[in-house]
Amino acid sequence: MELKNLFKLGAVAMALSATIGLSGCGGDININTGNETVDPTPTPTPDPDKSDQEKAYEGFATKSTTFVSVDGKEVWELKGTLAPSSAASTIGSAGGQDGNKIVLGNDVVWMLDGAVIAGGDNADSVELEIQPGTKVLGGSDSYLVVSRGSQIMAEGTKDEPIVFTSSVTALGQEGEAGQWGGLVLLGNAPVNTCPDLSACDAAFEVGSHNYGGNDETDNSGSLKYVRVEFGGFKINDTQEMNGISFAGVGSGTEVEYIQVHENNDDGVEFWGGNVSISHVVLTNNFDDSLDWTNGWQGSAQHVYIRQADNGSNRGIEADSNSDAQATPMSNPTLANFTIQVANGENSGGDDAEGILFRKGTAVNAYNLLVKGDVDSGECLEVNDDNTVNNANSDMLVVENSLIDCVEPFKDAKPDAEEGRTLALDVEAWFKGQDGNLEGASDLNGYMPNSSSVALTGGKADLANMDDRLEDAQYIGAFDGTNDWTMGWTTDIHGESTDPVALPTLTSCPVGTTSEPVVAGLYKDSSVTLVCSLQGNVLSNTTLLAGQNVMYKLNGGAVVVGGDNTTPATLGIQAGVNIFSTSDSYIAVSRGSKIMAQGTKEHPIVMTSEEDVLAGATGERGQWGGLVILGNGLTNKCPDKDACDVAFEVGSHNYGGNDNTESSGQISHVVVKYAGFKVNDTQEMNGISFAAVGSGTQVDHIQVHANGDDGVEFWGGAVNIKYVYLTENFDDSLDWTNGWTGKAQFVHITHEDGAANRGIEGDSHKSAGDTPTSMPMIANFTIEPGVDIENASGDKGEGILLRVATAAKLYNVLVRGRKGATGETESGECLELDGTYSGLVDNVNDGSLSIMNSIIDCNEPFKFSNASDPANNLTVDVETWFLGQDGNSTAEVMLTNGMPAATDTVLLGNGKDLSTEDSFFEATDYIGAFDGTTDWREGWTYAPAQ
C-alpha cells in the first residue's frame, strides 16, 4: 500500500527522515522509512531460522514495510485473494494456514491492502479464522470480502473483541468515518432481484463480487464480539461501503455481539438472505444504522442504535422491492430495539429520523423503543402503496412498542408524481396494535430507569413465537439491569468524563428574533447574541444551546400551539438560558409539547430579566413561569369528553379524558424568580401542571423563589422525580382537582418569613366530583421556615391535607425549627383539615395514609375544622399518625438536607415501593437522600445559606 493512503502530509515528511516512534490510542507504533529491502514473494517452505510469525504467515501474507509494529506487535499485510494451499500446514500456537483454513493470529496486527477477498466465488473456498483480540487495519481503498462458499470465523470474546479499524488510528490519529471500507459477507441465500434463484448472480454494489442463490440455510461463518470502526469509504455519489454488508447471507451464519461505529454510509445492511443477528450496537453512523432490502427474512434482537447529531439519517430504513411481485418479500422479525434519534441533519441534507418502512416490506416487530430528541425528525414513517397494503393486511406488524418523540409519526400520503395513491394514518395504525404506547420512555442514557414503562410493557413468550428469539418481556434493548454492551464496545460508556463545551452561535434559530446586545448590559460578558421569543408558536421551534446566547421571553404569554389545534413542539436544548420580561411566561397548549431536555452538566435555566442584567437583582415574582396544559382528567369537569377548564391566569383551557397523554419532557430544568401577581387571587406558579398526563416525563427540576407556589397540579396524572423546591413564597408543592400522579425524591426548603406550607393537598368541595386527588408520594424531606407570617399573613408550616383529598405518603420527613417562640420555630408540621367531610372519610377508610415517616417538630400535629367544629368530624392526628406502620416523632440530624452516612434514624427505616409500583426506585430510607448521593449536585441553583 502506498504511504499516501496512510499518512497526512506532516507524518509523511517525518517518516522520510527517520524511523519514528508514535504513541496514541493504538499503543506503541514504529514506522519504517521504507529504505529496507523486503522480498514481496511469499516463501512457503519452512525455514528454521525464521521467526514464528514468518513460518506461520509467509504462505498467504507479507510482513509490512510501512509499519514495523503496532501495539508492540509486527504488522502483516493481506492482499488480493486468499486461496487454499497444498503446502504443509503452518498453523502454530497462533495462526497460519492448513489447506483451505487460514488463521489470523492475535500475535500480530493485520493490515488490508486494497480489496482482500476470502476465496473465489463458489470456488476455491476458504475458512478465514480470526482469533480473539486480533486487530485488523484498513487503508483508504481497503475492505474485506468473504465470497460465496467461503466462511469467516471471527469469534472474539467480551474481554478480547476483534477490532476492524482504520490504519489512521494506528498512527495515533483520530478515527473518522470513511477512512477505510468495511466487511462484506456474500452468500448463496435467496434475494428478490433474481427471478431464477438456481442461477443467481446479483452484483454487489462495490467491486466485482456476486451474491445470491437458493440456499436459505447457507453458512458464511460466525461473527462474535466484533467491532467495525471508521469505515465506509465513498467511491462515488451512489456507491459507498457499509460497516458490515450481508448480501444473500443464509441462516446458518451466526452473528452476535457486533458493533459498527462511525461508518460513512449504513452501519449494517442486508440484501435478501436469512441471516439473524443479536446483541448489536450501531453508533454514530452517517446514513441508516440498519438497512434491509431485496427480501431479507432473518431476525434481529437486542439492537441498540444511537445516532449522531447533525451526522445521521435513519435508525432503520426498510425496503423489499419496488415490484410487489418480487419474491421473497422482505419480512424480518425484530425484537428489543432501542433507537436514540439524533438532532438535525447530516451533511447530505438528510434529517435524523427513526424508522421508515417502504418499498413493500413486511415485518413482525416487537418491543421497539424509539426515543427522539428536541430537533429530531419523524420517528415512525410508512411510505408507498405496497407497504400500506402490507400494513392493512397485517403483514406489517409492530406491537408492544414505545414511541417517545417530538415528531412521532409521519403518514403515508398519495403522491401522483411518485406514483402513490394510498394513505395511511400511521398513528392510528400504530396505536391500533397490541401493547403500543406513545409517551415518555424514562431512560437514563440508554438504560430504562426502574420507573420506566418499558420494563413492564414488553411482549411475552417471544421464543415460542419465533425460535430465533429469546424471551425478553421488556421494551427496548435493555432490561434495566444487564448491560450487555460492557467490556467490548467503544464510545458509549463515557470514556470521556469532560462535558462537551457548548458551541458558539452566530445567528438566532428559526422562530426567534435577534436583539441588539450592548456591551456591559448583561452580567455574563460572554453573551453576544440574544434571541427573542414571543407570541403564538405555531410550528416546531428549537432553542439551540450556545455559550454566547440567551433567549428572551417578551411581550406577554409565549403560547406553544393552539388549544388542541395546530400542535407544535417547543424544543429546548441542554444548556439553554432563558430570561423573561415582567409580563411574560410560557404556556404549552393542550395537544402540544415542550421538550426541555437539559443534563446535569448543562441544565436549562429559566429566570427573570433582572437576574441577568448588570446592576439588577433577581427576586420572586419578576416574571410568570412555565404552564403545561393537558387533556388529562380533572374533577372540575363532570363531562370529561367536553372539558374546558379555564386556567387561573390568561385565556388558556385544560382538561379532558386522557390521563396517559404526553405533553413532552422537562428534565434538568431550573425556574427562578417567577410567579408574578395578577391580583389578590391570581398569581403564577413556578411550574403549573394543569391536567397533564402520565406520558409526560418530569425529572430533575428546581423552582426557586417563586412568588406563589413552586409546583402545582390541577388534576391529571403526571409523575415527578428528583425535585428541589427552594424559598417559594406560598406552598412549595400544591395539588388539587384530582391529581393522581406520583412523586419521589423531593426536597423542600423555606425562607423564613417568606413562605407558607411545604405541601398543600386538596381535591374537591362537592360530593361526587371525580376523580378524587390521590397521589402516591415517597421520599420527601420538608424543612419548613419559622412560624412567622409572610407578606400575605401565612406562617411557615409543613404539610396540610384538606378539601377531601386522599393520598398515600411514604418515607416522608418533616423537620421543623425547634426554637422557643414563633419567631424561632416552625408552625404545625402535619395538619389535617376536616372542613370537607370527605377528608375524614378518607382517613377512616385508609385512602389517606402516611407510613414509614418522621415528624420532628415542636408543634408536630394539628386538626382543624373551620366550617363546623361541632359536627364531630374530628381526627386525633397524632394518634392517627403514630398508629400507622413505621411512623415516629424521632429527632433527626441533617446537614443541607442530608443525613450523615452513619445515620440510623432515617437510613434503613424506609419502605421499598419499587416492588409495588415500577415508577418508584428502590429505597430503604426516610427522606429525599440516602446519606451518600446528593442528586442536586451539579445542576441546581444553591440559595445562599
Side-chain angles (χ1 to χ4, degrees), residues 134 210 274 447 579 839 867 897:
T134 299
N210 293 330
N274 304 79
M447 294 286 280
F579 69 90
L839 181 119
S867 63

Side-chain angles (χ1 to χ4, degrees), residues 165-182:
T165 189
S166 70
S167 301
V168 170
T169 65
L171 300 175
Q173 298 179 24
E174 184 177 357
E176 296 177 353
Q179 291 175 336
W180 72 290

Side-chain angles (χ1 to χ4, degrees), residues 380-391:
L380 179 59
E381 177 183 0
V382 176
N383 197 350
D384 92 21
D385 289 0
N386 294 335
T387 318
V388 171
N389 286 331
N390 287 343

